[in-house]
Amino acid sequence: MMNEVLSERNVYEDFELESDVLYFKLGMQGLVSFHGRNYNIKKRMTAEQIDQLTHQSSFYPVNSNCYINIGKIKTIEGGTIHFDSEIADSKQVSVNRRKQFVIQQLFSQRASSNDLRIML
């Protein structure tokens, strides 16, 4: 029990990009807003850090300032990406039709390459 408490990490201080972040948004003057299942964290980053961040293979730009984590998508429908199976409570991002098609392709490729089950 004691080891469990020690091994828990604080996602506000030490989050892992691919496993914890659903999507992130780029703001003014290097401010990046990371959105997880139960939190939003804003961090100031250098141009070099932002460049590395926006070139992560697991994230895809849905517009000029918003990047989604392909591996965290649960459903895509009607121009909206949902990150939780409970759509009413789900964090979501709007996407245009062209991007929705590309994201569905990437999502399907990733799911088949990882042998995941897609639950719609």
Side-chain angles (χ1 to χ4, degrees):
M1 182 81 168
M2 185 74 160
N3 287 342
E4 270 183 47
V5 174
L6 292 176
S7 67
E8 282 185 28
R9 59 190 169 79
N10 181 349
V11 292
Y12 297 101
E13 298 295 323
D14 180 32
F15 61 89
E16 292 178 16
L17 192 60
E18 205 167 320
S19 63
D20 296 334
V21 175
L22 303 175
Y23 62 97
F24 64 86
K25 292 184 175 184
L26 306 177
M28 301 296 287
Q29 300 168 337
L31 195 62
V32 181
S33 179
F34 295 94
H35 298 261
R37 195 161 306 291
N38 298 316
Y39 63 85
N40 299 335
I41 300 171
K42 291 186 178 181
K43 284 191 166 192
R44 193 157 307 282
M45 301 180 84
T46 66
E48 184 179 294
Q49 288 172 318
I50 290 171
D51 190 51
Q52 288 177 338
L53 188 62
T54 58
H55 286 89
Q56 292 279 332
S57 64
S58 52
F59 286 85
Y60 183 80
V62 292
N63 61 42
S64 61
N65 72 336
C66 182
Y67 291 74
I68 60 165
N69 187 340
I70 301 290
K72 294 293 184 180
I73 295 171
K74 292 293 184 210
T75 61
I76 305 169
E77 62 179 68
T80 304
I81 295 169
H82 297 274
F83 295 100
D84 206 338
S85 50
E86 293 296 321
I87 290 178
D89 299 328
S90 177
K91 284 207 176 182
Q92 56 193 38
V93 173
S94 296
V95 62
N96 68 39
R97 188 181 302 254
R98 185 176 58 82
K99 292 277 188 179
Q100 179 176 327
F101 178 75
V102 173
I103 292 165
Q104 283 174 316
Q105 299 292 83
L106 290 170
F107 180 64
S108 296
Q109 287 172 4
R110 189 175 184 94
S112 62
S113 69
N114 290 343
D115 196 32
L116 298 174
R117 302 283 180 254
I118 301 173
M119 307 288 276
L120 298 177

